[in-house]
Amino acid sequence: MAITLESRLISFALKGTDEKVHRPEDYPGAKVLGVIFSCNHCPYAQAWEGRLIQIQRDYAGRGVQFLLINSNDPAKYPDDSFSSMQRRAQEKRYPFPYLFDETQEVARQYGATRTPEIFLFDERRVLRYHGAPDDNYEDPAAVRQPYLRNAIESLLAGKMPMMAETKPVGCTIKWR
């Protein structure tokens, strides 16, 4: 069962590509916290990856923190192994922690089904946006609805996002 809008953040402790364990509670100063399920191999995740990196960079100074989580089974998709995650995070210079959900428990608790899939929480860690980064994974120049940026702007202004939920678009999470 997926968490729904207005639900409280579900805590977790996952190892990051930096070899450290990360928890949402490690970011108490974040006014907006994004828990984003992603991976290395999915073409949708790859298409949106640069935009997620840019959004994190654009908003880091304003109290926005993303936590990227890979829950895929690396036995089925070796490109999603922990060592591959480490290489990708370094090559792409991720400005956010990239965490490995080896047991897939966090994805199950959140009800995540796609990569990428965004769960955006406000300062009180209440879910305020769930869905896709924007309305066009193929062409950044053709984006008409920057869902994630709009939701972040609303939350930073103390308002609820006008569009709080969109359909996550991407590859399915590869379950064991």
Side-chain angles (χ1 to χ4, degrees), residues 121-139:
F121 297 87
D122 67 13
E123 198 165 15
R124 295 186 356 250
R125 302 302 180 250
V126 174
L127 183 62
R128 299 298 184 189
Y129 173 75
H130 169 244
D134 58 49
D135 66 350
N136 194 322
Y137 77 92
E138 294 176 301
D139 182 4

Side-chain angles (χ1 to χ4, degrees), residues 12-23 26-27 34-46 49 52-53 56 65-74 77-102 114-117 173:
F12 51 82
L14 296 173
K15 181 177 166 183
T17 55
D18 60 0
E19 300 285 344
K20 297 177 184 170
V21 173
H22 294 262
R23 296 168 182 79
D26 295 339
Y27 306 92
V35 174
I36 304 172
F37 291 86
S38 191
C39 69
N40 290 355
H41 88 274
C42 171
Y44 295 90
Q46 291 173 8
E49 178 181 53
L52 292 174
I53 290 168
Q56 175 65 84
Q65 178 65 55
F66 292 165
L67 302 174
L68 208 66
I69 300 174
N70 175 10
S71 298
N72 281 348
D73 178 5
Y77 285 84
D79 284 349
D80 289 328
S81 70
F82 187 71
S83 60
S84 294
M85 289 173 58
Q86 288 178 306
R87 277 192 301 279
R88 187 163 200 91
Q90 186 172 30
E91 287 169 10
K92 298 292 184 174
R93 301 179 54 143
Y94 279 180
F96 35 66
Y98 191 20
L99 313 177
F100 188 35
D101 181 17
E102 190 171 9
R114 301 279 172 187
T115 59
E117 185 167 350
I173 289 179

Side-chain angles (χ1 to χ4, degrees), residues 32 34 50-51 63 105 126 134 148:
V32 177
R51 283 176 259 178
E105 182 182 332
V126 174
D134 58 49
L148 179 57

Side-chain angles (χ1 to χ4, degrees), residues 149-176:
R149 282 186 182 273
N150 289 346
I152 290 169
E153 285 291 340
S154 292
L155 294 175
L156 290 175
K159 300 175 183 172
M160 293 300 111
M162 296 218 12
M163 187 169 295
E165 194 153 30
T166 62
K167 182 179 180 184
V169 176
C171 300
T172 58
I173 289 179
K174 307 310 179 203
W175 303 106
R176 286 193 168 84

